[in-house]
Amino acid sequence: MTPLSSGDLAQSYVQRRANTRLSNDLTRLATELTTGQKTRLGAQSGAVAAIDRTVQRLEAYGPVLAIATLEAGAAQTALSTVGASVDTVRAALALAQDDAPGIVRDTLSRIGTDGFRSAVAAVNTQAGGRSLFAGTATDGPALSGADRMLDAVRAQIAGVADPAEVGRRIGAWFAPGGGFDTQGYQGTTQSRTALRVSADATATLDLRADAPAIRATLTALATVALADSGSLSAADSLSMARGSLGDLERAGRGIIAERAAIGATQATLEAADIRNQTERTGLLRAREDLAGADPFKTAIDLQQAETQLQTLYAMTARLSRLSLADYL
Amino acid sequence: MSISSAMSNALSGLGAASRQAQVVSGNIANALTPGYGRQEVQLSSSSRGGVGVDGVARRIDATILLDRRASDADLGGAGLRATALDRMAGLMDPGGGAASLSGRVARLQGALGQAIATPDAPAALNGVVQAARELASMLNTASKGMADERLAADRGIAADVEALRVGLNRVDALNTAILRAGPDGNALRDQRQAIIDGIAAIVPLQEVSRGNGAVALMTAGGQMLLDSEPARLDFAPSTAIAAGAVLGAPLSGLTVNGRALDMSDPSGRMAGGTLAARFELRDAVIPQAQAQIDGFARDLMDRLADPALDPTRAPGAPGVFTDRGTAFDGQQPGLAGRIALNAALDPAQGGAAWKLRDGLGAAIPGPVGDARNIAAMADALSARIRTPDDPTARDIGGRADVVLSSRAGLAATAAEAVVFSQARHDTLRVAELGGGVDTDAELQTLLLVEKAYAANARVIQAADTMLQRLLEI
């Protein structure tokens, strides 16, 4: 038999459930509106977590790129200073005249010494507190003092009268296996490792002060600087100094080649930075699509939920007033 | 004599009306009592003349009650599952992007990248140590949380079994009482219904009426729990659950009347309800989650314990992450709870962060710019390799993502199941409550009763007047 009446508790149960549901919806929508993020992600939260992780990785490349850019820039500047010293000495040599060879020789030797000192100082540059060209011993200078090195070489060529022998001994001192390895170069023979600057790019700044290009530059500059040492005659030492023009030119080209390598690294760093930024922007946009709460839609839903709740309150009040007991 | 029979008819009418008034008042008084069966007086015309009260019937729709109890059990089980899965997902992802497992992995990798750029900076090396420590600590916390959930499930089973036992005993006692009470047993019947409702969430129950008002209780899967005497339920709770514990070794199963039941069968005899859900959590769901994070911990540890990474390490010595101080001891269950940062790297435990750069076995610091070890570690973490648990080649970040997304997916599915279950439960509950007391209908009945009472009283008055007249002759 179909029931002719409906129990009191049924209506109140329905109203209570509706009240709970609407209040929960209201709270959820209010949170979504203020934070701009969906609160119930469900199965999407795995994808969102993956995006967050990748964005975090990309942002971590920022400081590394900054350090690498700083060091690459400082290395470029240092090498350009070395190149400038070489050019200065070359210019001086080219302009030297033959008359009064003693005075010319002394002048050239002074210019050469200045150039050597300036090159050594440039190679000893530090960026961010780290030596650039000392290999893995970044806490100390790459080369020992310019004057110390020149004195060591001077000791090697003391009393030698043959210009060819002098040139050979200077070359031997700066060559691998000579005194430069122990008394000149102060760093380690291990280059620095490559830095990871984006998901698939690395940047290497592994030029050391004992590289062939630097050795050749220092040899050529030292030859000019030590023109007034040894037991050479003024004319011999002048011709020896002039003869090192070719070496200076080759050294200069070597420096330019190293600068080009660093320039390529700088280009890699720039490209990595752009790539990271682009990828980050794209990922953040994808995250917005997945987990972002559209403010307009959320505001509309919030208003609707509010209206529904108010209607429910009105209905509850009305229905509870409907009772036969009031009329008896 | 016809006048006296008229009077006796009217008296029977008065009796019926007052009985109806009593029943109506009882109904209105219990209008808000959940589980109260609306009572109706059953009248029939008596053979001796007048009206006879056959009895007071208790109106309960048995079909809706059965369905509602089944949905109680369904909702209970679904709710338990959803809460547990949600809590375990929360262990891996407490709500912030950077605090999740993936976030901490990303932080470790970022710190390594920074340390490669500035291996001479103690801040950079300490950053790596800190990130590694936090990753290990998160795994430890998650493992402990899951172990706690497992123990809670075991305790819940013990509580459910006890509640079931108590409930069955009380229903048995009430069966006897109802038998003795006879026609006045409606209040006892209400009580019995309430007790059965109390245990309905544990396992889906069917009420089978036996003669004389007694009921037998059977589960939807066909296990007889109460039939003239309650079934014997046995379960031995565990005091602590170790990482590799499984059903039978040493976790206890459920025994009914001396026979062990397979609680993992979804169509089993005691399936569908919080009891089966708790068994599922303890024996399948939580161990699977534990195995997943143990697998992740193993991958993390193995990548950084590769002998090719650190030439200063003695063979067999642990890497950056240790298994409670030593190398991996071969027991993967519970590894996530035991993984720790190597004490040689932790300044707080007498170690030094520069060993990250110079090797765990190094006695003194080496060249401060040498980042080869650190670079090798970073490469080991970003290498895409396969593990026994995961045939797809992934880097450590991808592994973390898999853990997070699978946990989140399971929690989401369980939450959806709860929504569906709740909707069904609501519909059935409303239908059940609809069969309860409607005060308006009771008041209408009261109006009729009042009228009938007045009419019968008038008849008595009239018959009395007629007799008086007779006696005055």
Side-chain angles (χ1 to χ4, degrees), chain B residues 172-410:
Chain B
D172 190 38
L174 278 170
N175 272 342
T176 324
I178 287 169
L179 200 67
R180 259 190 247 122
D184 287 331
N186 280 335
L188 294 170
R189 287 194 171 89
D190 288 337
Q191 225 182 327
R192 185 176 62 189
Q193 182 177 317
I195 291 170
I196 299 177
D197 281 345
I199 54 173
I202 299 178
V203 66
L205 291 170
Q206 283 170 332
E207 238 180 78
V208 184
S209 56
R210 298 281 186 245
N212 296 322
V215 295
L217 288 177
M218 197 170 76
T219 68
Q223 175 68 47
M224 188 61 80
L225 286 178
L226 173 69
D227 193 7
S228 78
E229 66 170 31
R232 213 183 61 242
L233 301 163
D234 290 305
F235 174 75
S238 317
T239 42
I241 301 187
V246 291
L247 178 64
L251 299 176
S252 161
L254 183 67
T255 316
V256 179
N257 288 334
R259 219 174 58 206
L261 278 187
D262 179 14
M263 292 300 293
S264 62
D265 183 3
S267 53
R269 281 155 162 260
M270 301 274 271
T274 60
L275 188 63
R278 287 193 218 262
F279 267 103
E280 190 193 349
L281 280 176
R282 188 195 72 172
D283 296 331
V285 171
I286 300 177
Q288 191 254 334
Q290 284 177 313
Q292 204 180 27
I293 58 164
D294 287 337
F296 177 82
R298 176 85 192 273
D299 188 22
L300 181 67
M301 205 192 274
D302 279 351
R303 281 175 195 254
L304 295 177
D306 189 348
L309 273 188
D310 181 355
T312 68
R313 235 178 339 129
V320 172
F321 289 107
T322 65
D323 183 346
R324 218 176 258 158
T326 61
F328 177 55
D329 67 0
Q331 289 293 338
Q332 191 157 324
L335 181 60
R338 305 193 307 263
I339 191 170
L341 177 67
N342 196 325
L345 291 170
D346 190 357
Q349 293 178 65
W354 52 260
K355 290 195 180 173
L356 261 175
R357 179 189 66 215
D358 297 317
L360 287 165
I364 50 162
V368 294
D370 189 356
R372 280 175 298 169
N373 260 350
I374 308 177
M377 276 185 225
D379 286 341
L381 289 180
S382 339
R384 283 171 194 262
I385 59 177
R386 295 190 178 87
T387 61
D389 303 324
D390 186 358
T392 315
R394 284 184 226 274
D395 68 328
I396 195 72
R399 286 270 145 65
D401 289 341
V402 163
V403 170
L404 276 186
S405 68
S406 74
R407 292 284 115 223
L410 286 171

Side-chain angles (χ1 to χ4, degrees), chain A residues 156-210:
Chain A
Q156 282 289 311
I157 58 171
V160 178
D162 178 23
E165 179 63 17
V166 167
R168 199 191 59 74
R169 284 200 187 183
I170 296 178
W173 195 90
F174 281 104
F180 178 71
D181 288 347
T182 43
Q183 296 163 310
Y185 181 60
Q186 305 285 302
T188 56
T189 50
Q190 175 67 41
S191 293
R192 295 200 286 162
T193 50
L195 297 178
R196 280 114 195 94
V197 290
S198 79
D200 51 10
T202 57
T204 328
L205 289 167
D206 58 358
L207 180 64
R208 295 202 309 270
D210 64 348

Side-chain angles (χ1 to χ4, degrees), chain A residues 2-326:
Chain A
T2 53
L4 293 172
S5 65
S6 165
D8 289 344
L9 289 176
Q11 196 174 297
S12 94
Y13 184 78
V14 169
Q15 280 162 356
R16 250 180 290 137
R17 295 289 307 157
N19 192 356
T20 316
R21 186 173 48 83
L22 284 172
S23 312
N24 288 342
D25 277 351
L26 213 56
T27 321
R28 179 179 57 85
L29 287 167
T31 318
E32 283 185 12
L33 194 59
T34 46
T35 59
Q37 306 287 330
K38 285 193 197 136
T39 46
R40 254 187 343 204
L41 283 175
Q44 299 281 43
S45 67
V48 170
I51 292 180
D52 279 342
R53 184 182 61 82
T54 320
V55 167
Q56 212 177 325
R57 291 280 283 133
L58 288 171
E59 284 170 359
Y61 289 129
V64 174
L65 268 170
I67 291 170
T69 314
L70 171 75
E71 290 185 354
Q76 272 289 18
T77 312
L79 287 182
S80 107
T81 311
V82 171
S85 326
V86 169
D87 288 339
T88 314
V89 174
R90 273 175 65 194
L93 275 176
L95 290 174
Q97 305 289 341
D98 262 334
D99 35 305
I103 300 173
V104 172
R105 182 200 63 188
D106 288 342
T107 317
L108 284 174
S109 170
R110 229 182 10 257
I111 294 173
T113 312
D114 286 342
F116 187 83
R117 284 200 192 114
S118 138
V120 167
V123 169
N124 280 340
T125 333
Q126 293 198 323
R130 274 177 290 278
S131 288
L132 294 171
F133 301 110
T136 54
T138 53
D139 52 348
L143 298 170
S144 62
D147 294 322
R148 269 196 60 198
M149 279 196 275
L150 287 175
D151 288 340
V153 184
R154 205 170 279 130
Q156 282 289 311
I157 58 171
V160 178
D162 178 23
E165 179 63 17
V166 167
R168 199 191 59 74
R169 284 200 187 183
I170 296 178
W173 195 90
F174 281 104
F180 178 71
D181 288 347
T182 43
Q183 296 163 310
Y185 181 60
Q186 305 285 302
T188 56
T189 50
Q190 175 67 41
S191 293
R192 295 200 286 162
T193 50
L195 297 178
R196 280 114 195 94
V197 290
S198 79
D200 51 10
T202 57
T204 328
L205 289 167
D206 58 358
L207 180 64
R208 295 202 309 270
D210 64 348
I214 311 276
R215 283 185 200 256
T217 313
L218 292 177
T219 314
L221 287 173
T223 313
V224 178
L226 297 171
D228 63 345
S229 315
S231 313
L232 291 172
S233 68
D236 279 342
S237 45
L238 191 53
S239 71
M240 186 186 79
R242 277 236 192 79
S244 61
L245 253 179
D247 292 334
L248 279 170
E249 199 207 337
R250 271 189 296 279
R253 278 207 300 272
I255 295 293
I256 288 173
E258 291 295 345
R259 285 188 68 188
I262 295 181
T265 306
Q266 283 174 310
T268 310
L269 291 173
E270 254 190 58
D273 194 22
I274 291 172
R275 183 188 181 289
N276 289 344
Q277 297 293 351
T278 318
E279 196 179 334
R280 182 174 172 275
T281 317
L283 282 171
L284 285 177
R285 202 175 298 133
R287 192 190 191 284
E288 260 309 295
D289 286 342
L290 273 179
D294 179 17
F296 300 111
K297 184 173 180 305
T298 313
I300 291 171
D301 288 342
L302 189 62
Q303 264 193 325
Q304 267 182 337
E306 238 181 326
T307 316
Q308 266 187 307
L309 197 56
Q310 281 168 345
T311 316
L312 179 66
Y313 288 155
M315 286 286 299
T316 310
R318 277 278 181 84
L319 288 172
S320 66
R321 279 202 288 272
L322 278 175
S323 169
L324 188 52
D326 295 335

